Amino acid sequence: MATTTPAPTEAGTAAAPAADEPIARDRERIDELDRRIIDLVRERMEVSARIQRARIGAGGRRVNLSREMEILTRYRERLGRPGTSLAMTLLELCRGRV
C-alpha cells in the first residue's frame, strides 16, 4: 500500500519562512563569533611566538610542558573532555608540533 505525503497547507508554508528568520539571525551570530575566535587565535599565536623567542633567547626551551598542562586542565575543566582536544589544537597552532 503506497503512502502519500499530504500537500502543505497555506499555514504550513507561511510558517516556514518565519521559522527561518531566527535561524538566519543565529547563523549570522555564529559567523561573527567565529570571526572573533579566529582573530583571538591569531593574537594568541603572536603572543605565544613572543614568549617562545624570549624563552629561547634566555637559554630556555621552546616549550614549557608544565604550563601546557595547566592550559589543558583549564580547558578540560571548563569545556569537558572535548576541551582537551580544543586546547591541544590551540597549543599546536601556537607552538607547532612537539
Side-chain angles (χ1 to χ4, degrees):
M1 181 168 150
T3 59
T4 58
T5 305
T9 62
E10 282 186 43
T13 56
D20 288 343
E21 290 174 23
I23 292 171
R25 280 194 305 271
D26 285 344
R27 285 182 176 161
E28 288 176 15
R29 178 71 175 137
I30 285 174
D31 291 345
E32 175 57 28
L33 290 168
D34 284 343
R35 280 189 288 278
R36 289 171 49 196
I37 290 167
I38 290 166
D39 289 344
L40 288 169
V41 169
R42 286 182 174 162
E43 182 179 349
R44 189 186 195 287
M45 291 169 71
E46 292 169 10
V47 172
S48 181
R50 285 197 308 263
I51 291 169
Q52 288 179 44
R53 284 191 301 271
R55 195 179 310 121
I56 291 168
R61 302 180 70 172
R62 181 174 66 93
V63 176
N64 181 334
L65 295 178
S66 63
R67 173 70 176 145
E68 289 195 359
M69 289 307 298
E70 291 174 18
I71 293 166
L72 290 169
T73 299
R74 180 182 321 128
Y75 274 74
R76 186 185 68 247
E77 287 174 351
R78 291 268 185 98
L79 300 173
R81 192 171 184 184
T84 303
S85 297
L86 177 59
M88 285 299 298
T89 299
L90 281 171
L91 290 170
E92 187 174 329
L93 279 168
C94 293
R95 52 100 163 109
R97 293 188 90 106
V98 176

